[in-house]
């Protein structure tokens, strides 16, 4: 049973938590080269505060958590948080989205703490191109981190590849090959307009259909029928059944009608959509000694206020001021 049903009948079982706004990368599509005005440590929710919010969220129907950021692994002792969250009644799944840089030497600890699934962002297999996109020379570390994850039962291992025309659109076959050669599900994401300045333009977006056609010309793809629910990706396998490829198309084929997500930003606000213009403050309730009922009320109000979907591509669309790294992508 869930109390988190919005006016369009969408049931919210998924909570994404941005544990920090900081990042060691500066991906061109996410944040400026000079970085951001980072939050002071005291402005981030503490692990106890996050656990308290999750406890209330779980009592309302949240079942799945995803830790993200910024770079979640920049937060000190992240496994401690994972372990705390994994003990909360009702929480069935804990996942993380990471740039993969710090995974080396940490995969087992994360697994033992309770991490079940992982998404690693990887936009290029060419170290020069990687450096251009992440503005860090770090492909080697990310690949080594991925290899370590392979050795522990964190599954699935998904790769998130943001495809940007003029950057890495010539590499989709190389990236798709990883789905056949490695135990990775490779997912292609369309470039989204978030934050004040990310160089976004419609011309830079490579629609999923175009990527799919290119891969299909190389090797035939077949759709896999899955319940969309918590996964916004359309899934395919190759005709020989080897490898899984996903396409996430927020720009060309929005999946808002199936959205089951809520988000907690790095500064402790509840957000009902990546593209929402309003947030509700949880941190002030936590810090002023507010009761659990107040946290519940914020969740219920946020879900009630959720709009049917975003308007990317329409003239009414307004970009959220916060970047993906601040909201928690
Ligand atoms: N630092 C971690 C990482 O990169 O995986 C977690 C946070 S990052 C904001 C989460 C995801 O958002 C990444 O897969 C990243 O590629 C994606 N992302 C960031 N900005 C984006 C944009 N403008 N359009 C599409 N995806 C974006
Ligand atoms: Fe950092 Fe992730 Fe944003 Fe890249 S996408 S700058 S790794 S938060």
């Amino acid at each position: 049973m869930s109390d988190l049903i919005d006016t369009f009948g969408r049931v919210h079982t998924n909570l994404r938590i941005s544990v920090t706004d900081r990042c060691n990368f500066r991906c061109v599509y996410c944040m400026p080269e000079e970085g951001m005005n980072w939050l002071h440590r005291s402005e981030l929710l503490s692990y106890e505060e996050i656990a308290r919010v999750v406890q209330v969220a779980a009592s309302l129907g949240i079942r799945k958590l995803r830790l993200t950021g910024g770079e979640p692994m920049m937060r000190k002792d992240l496994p401690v948080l994972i372990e705390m969250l994994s003990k909360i009644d009702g929480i069935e799944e804990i996942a993380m989205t990471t740039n993969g840089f710090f995974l080396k030497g940490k995969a087992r600890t994360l697994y033992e703490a309770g991490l079940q699934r992982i998404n690693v962002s990887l936009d290029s297999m060419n170290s020069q191109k990687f450096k251009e996109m992440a503005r860090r020379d770090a492909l080697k570390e990310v690949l080594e981190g991925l290899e370590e994850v392979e050795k522990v039962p964190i599954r699935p291992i998904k790769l998130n590849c943001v495809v940007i025309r003029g950057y890495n659109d010539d590499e989709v076959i190389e990236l798709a090959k990883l789905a056949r050669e490695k135990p990775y599900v490779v997912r292609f994401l369309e470039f989204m307009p978030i934050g004040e300045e990310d160089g976004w333009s419609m011309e830079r977006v490579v629609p999923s259909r175009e990527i799919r056609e290119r891969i299909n010309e190389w090797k035939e793809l077949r759709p896999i029928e899955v319940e969309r629910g918590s996964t916004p990706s359309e899934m395919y396998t190759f005709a020989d059944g080897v490898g899984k490829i996903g396409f996430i198309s927020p720009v060309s084929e929005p999946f808002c009608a199936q959205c089951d997500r809520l988000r907690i930003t790095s500064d402790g606000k509840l957000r009902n959509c990546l593209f929402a213009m309003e947030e509700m403050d949880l941190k002030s309730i936590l810090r002023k000694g507010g009761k659990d009922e107040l946290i519940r009320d914020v969740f219920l109000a946020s879900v009630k206020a959720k709009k049917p979907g975003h308007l990317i591509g329409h003239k009414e669309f307004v970009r959220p001021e916060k970047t993906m790294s601040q909201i928690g992508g």
Side-chain angles (χ1 to χ4, degrees), residues 29-30 68-72 97-99 121 160 162 189-192 198 324-325 329:
Y29 48 76
C30 183
T68 178
E71 175 43 48
T97 300
T98 171
N99 65 27
S121 300
N160 284 356
V162 179
L189 275 76
E190 288 176 349
F191 181 21
M192 291 183 275
D198 57 7
M324 201 64 155
S325 61

Side-chain angles (χ1 to χ4, degrees), residues 23 25-27 29-31 70 99 325:
C23 189
F25 287 9
R26 297 285 183 273
C27 301
Y29 48 76
C30 183
M31 62 169 81
N99 65 27
S325 61

Side-chain angles (χ1 to χ4, degrees), residues 234-246:
E234 263 189 277
M235 294 304 302
Y236 286 76
T237 182
F238 289 96
D240 61 4
V242 179
K244 275 189 191 166
I245 304 273

